[in-house]
Amino acid sequence: LPSTAHAAFLKAGHYLGIKVVRVPVNPGTFRADVEAMGWAVCANTVLLVGSAPSFAQGVLDPLEALADLAQRRGVPLHVDCCLGSLLLPLMDKLGYEVPPFDFRLPGVCSISVDLHTYGFAPKGSAVILYASEEARHHQYFVAADWA
């Protein structure tokens, strides 16, 4: 987890009892350090995270390189696109050079989108997208006896 990733990942690790390994980012660009993240991956790694963009600095992590690392190491990559989800596709259409940040990158398994950030939806409205039905299936929960 890059040290600039959203604090929600730390909260999730706490609740799920998962040790979160925070990796320092490049001090000059504030982008994820792919080499350092590669060294942090081990047999117990369950997820890599990249931001598009990070909240505090507004920079995109090197997602193409992170997706490549994820594929090589057999670990899913989640893209936190909460801040940029409604802007990045429009910037691309307006002619700005936007590097791939979504499912066009093999290795990206999920993307989080905040609809309340620039989407004029109520606070807390969010969506998680999955690259495959198999990954999405793990999100399901059924309580047939709930009244």
Side-chain angles (χ1 to χ4, degrees), residues 46-68:
V46 297
L47 184 70
L48 294 176
V49 173
S51 298
S54 63
F55 182 78
Q57 290 79 25
V59 296
L60 273 69
D61 282 331
L63 296 170
E64 290 180 86
L66 287 174
D68 181 58

Side-chain angles (χ1 to χ4, degrees), residues 110-140:
S110 58
I111 301 172
S112 52
V113 176
D114 276 358
L115 301 177
H116 65 263
T117 307
Y118 308 120
F120 303 108
K123 183 71 175 158
S125 300
V127 174
I128 186 163
L129 306 170
Y130 294 99
S132 71
E133 186 176 327
E134 178 186 357
R136 186 180 69 229
H137 183 76
H138 296 288
Q139 178 99 25
Y140 296 151

